[in-house]
Amino acid sequence: MNYNSEAEAIDALSATYKEIRTEISKVIVGQDDVVKSVLISIFSNGHCLLVGVPGLAKTLLVQTVANVLDLSFNRIQFTPDLMPSDIIGSEILGDDRNFKFIKGPVFSNIILADEINRTPPKTQAALLEAMQEKSVTAAGVSHQLPKPFFVLATQNPIEQEGTYPLPEAQLDRFMFNVNLDYPSFEEELNIVKNTTGSKVNELKRILNADQINFFQQLIRKIPVSDHVLEYAVKLVAKTRPKGQYATEAVSKYLSWGAGPRASQNLVIGAKCHAAINGKYSPDIEDIQAVAMPILKHRIVRNYKAEAEGLSTEQIIEGLF
């Protein structure tokens, strides 16, 4: 992709983002904030965790995104009997009596980890290296995953019997934690109209893997002013109960705050949020626009907050 300047490339990204949203809206009705978070995660080279009850089109959303972006897609249904080798692959003895590695479903551009909290920690951990290092290791040999690589995991907030909550170490590797809510009456009416007839929507492929890699690198190059950097870091520091910037509410209601990865994700997410809106550098409003889904799974409430019914969202809103 050849552009005369970074500003021209950012303009192209903003126009492309709008085109992608238009294509996705042919299939996905509503859920605007969810779609935006998923796309920001992809362009920021991050991962996304979706939390919502069944039937809210989580699987359809990621399939649609994969189609519009012309990327390979695999769905992994997490179950209690799933083994790590079922995800990353395993070695088998070939006809030539030599072992060869058979790639698992994780070798794809977009991975839908469906109901990730229904599999034991050993299998959940199999995704850790893949999500962080973009590679997997089998029999002492490292295998690089395709680029771009994006994990979209889903969790069902009901029916928690027999589930294995994700440990904080793995939750921290998700850039965004996004809650899906029920559609409005008008949106649900459109959904029923669009899905109960014979019409099939043809989606146009907007970007390929190489173009996405280019835009991921472009976002890294976007400059950020010092006061915006300081705001992002201070916002994260405010979530730490024993830190010097902790507010009274944080010290009273939180056990643990967010780590440095939250600061990194805030800045990268703000850069992307600015770029898709046609801005050449992020400001404080861009930090605030991405802060909620970045911070809410990285802070831990104490018993007092739970007893008083105080949500993590309310605590984070108080930090602004």
Side-chain angles (χ1 to χ4, degrees), residues 10 222-225 228 270-271 274-275 278-284 286:
I10 291 173
I222 293 176
V224 184
S225 62
V228 174
K271 285 184 178 186
K279 296 191 290 186
Y280 304 129
S281 181
D283 51 31
I284 288 175
D286 293 304

Coordinates of all heavy atoms in Angstrom, one line a residue, residues 10 222-225 228 270-271 274-275 278-284 286:
I10 N -3.8 7.6 7.2 CA -4.8 7.6 8.2 C -6.2 8.0 7.6 O -7.2 7.4 8.0 CB -4.4 8.6 9.3 CG1 -3.2 8.1 10.1 CG2 -5.6 8.9 10.3 CD1 -2.6 9.1 11.1
I222 N 1.6 6.5 15.0 CA 0.8 7.8 15.3 C 1.4 8.4 16.5 O 1.6 7.8 17.6 CB -0.7 7.5 15.5 CG1 -1.3 7.0 14.2 CG2 -1.4 8.7 16.0 CD1 -2.7 6.6 14.3
P223 N 1.8 9.7 16.5 CA 2.4 10.4 17.6 C 1.3 10.7 18.7 O 0.1 10.9 18.4 CB 2.9 11.7 17.0 CG 2.0 12.0 15.8 CD 1.6 10.6 15.3
V224 N 1.8 10.7 19.9 CA 0.9 11.0 21.1 C 1.6 12.1 21.9 O 2.8 12.0 22.2 CB 0.7 9.8 22.0 CG1 -0.3 10.1 23.1 CG2 0.2 8.6 21.1
S225 N 0.9 13.1 22.2 CA 1.4 14.2 23.1 C 1.7 13.7 24.5 O 1.0 12.8 25.0 CB 0.5 15.4 23.0 OG -0.7 15.1 23.6
V228 N -1.3 13.6 27.0 CA -2.2 12.5 26.8 C -1.6 11.2 27.4 O -2.3 10.4 28.0 CB -2.6 12.3 25.3 CG1 -3.4 11.1 25.0 CG2 -3.3 13.6 24.7
A270 N -6.4 4.3 22.0 CA -6.8 5.7 21.7 C -6.2 6.1 20.4 O -6.9 6.9 19.6 CB -6.2 6.6 22.8
K271 N -5.0 5.7 20.0 CA -4.5 5.9 18.7 C -5.4 5.4 17.6 O -5.7 6.1 16.6 CB -3.1 5.3 18.5 CG -1.9 5.9 19.3 CD -0.6 5.2 18.9 CE 0.6 5.8 19.6 NZ 1.8 5.2 19.2
A274 N -8.7 7.4 17.4 CA -8.5 8.7 16.8 C -8.4 8.5 15.3 O -9.0 9.2 14.5 CB -7.2 9.3 17.3
A275 N -7.6 7.4 14.8 CA -7.4 7.2 13.4 C -8.7 6.9 12.7 O -8.9 7.4 11.6 CB -6.4 6.1 13.2
G278 N -10.6 9.9 11.8 CA -9.9 10.8 10.9 C -9.0 11.8 11.6 O -8.6 12.8 11.1
K279 N -8.6 11.5 12.9 CA -7.7 12.4 13.6 C -6.3 11.9 13.5 O -6.1 10.7 13.5 CB -8.1 12.5 15.1 CG -9.5 13.2 15.3 CD -9.8 13.6 16.7 CE -10.0 12.4 17.6 NZ -10.4 12.7 18.9
Y280 N -5.3 12.8 13.5 CA -3.9 12.3 13.3 C -3.2 12.1 14.6 O -2.0 11.7 14.6 CB -3.2 13.4 12.4 CG -3.9 13.6 11.1 CD1 -4.2 14.9 10.7 CD2 -4.3 12.6 10.3 CE1 -4.8 15.2 9.5 CE2 -4.9 12.8 9.1 CZ -5.2 14.1 8.7 OH -5.8 14.3 7.5
S281 N -3.8 12.4 15.7 CA -3.2 12.2 17.0 C -4.3 12.1 18.0 O -5.3 12.9 17.9 CB -2.2 13.3 17.4 OG -1.6 13.1 18.6
P282 N -4.2 11.2 19.0 CA -5.3 11.0 20.0 C -5.3 12.1 21.0 O -4.2 12.7 21.3 CB -5.0 9.7 20.6 CG -3.5 9.5 20.5 CD -3.1 10.2 19.2
D283 N -6.5 12.4 21.6 CA -6.5 13.3 22.7 C -7.2 12.6 23.9 O -7.4 11.4 23.9 CB -7.4 14.6 22.3 CG -8.7 14.2 21.7 OD1 -9.3 13.2 22.0 OD2 -9.2 15.0 20.8
I284 N -7.4 13.4 25.0 CA -8.0 12.8 26.2 C -9.3 12.1 26.0 O -9.6 11.0 26.5 CB -8.0 13.8 27.3 CG1 -6.6 14.1 27.8 CG2 -8.9 13.3 28.5 CD1 -6.5 15.3 28.8
D286 N -10.2 10.5 23.4 CA -10.0 9.1 22.8 C -9.6 8.1 23.9 O -10.0 7.0 23.8 CB -8.9 9.2 21.7 CG -9.3 10.0 20.5 OD1 -10.4 9.7 19.9 OD2 -8.7 11.0 20.2

